[in-house]
Amino acid sequence: MHEASIVSGLMAILLDQAAKHAVEHIRRVTVKVGRLRSVEPRALVGCFEMFAEGTVADGAELVVETVPIRGRCEDCGEEFEISGFVFRCSRCQGSRITVISGEELYIDNFET
Ligand SMILES: [Zn+2]
């Protein structure tokens, strides 16, 4: 399962950070997930609850913030949000698009 491997990776980072800062209990974790990751937030939350059991994050709330896909046109420099996976410039219709956001996957912060 896609989400399980993601949560397992995030959890390792989270527990490492918690240990470094001598945190005893985590109440809330906010993660940023780019839309290109095709992650289902509900599945992520479910996995998180499972992985958190018995750790300092047991019972913590997972907040998933979805980051939209943004691209930059290599022809005219326009930056725009890509919706519906149409990789075409909204200004000049150019198709040489560099993705500048949407691939995020990290812990933004956590509250204790
Ligand atoms: Zn353009």
Side-chain angles (χ1 to χ4, degrees), residues 59-108:
E61 178 194 358
L62 183 72
V63 179
V64 181
E65 289 184 355
T66 307
V67 182
I69 306 168
R70 289 184 64 81
R72 186 179 54 239
C73 175
E74 294 303 330
D75 292 321
C76 74
E78 177 83 346
E79 293 187 1
F80 52 93
E81 186 172 333
I82 295 168
S83 57
F85 296 97
V86 179
F87 291 83
R88 194 163 281 277
C89 176
S90 55
R91 188 203 273 169
C92 76
Q93 302 301 308
S95 56
R96 296 199 304 139
I97 308 299
T98 302
V99 172
I100 54 174
S101 80
E103 296 182 280
E104 292 79 0
L105 184 58
Y106 60 89
I107 296 167
D108 189 53

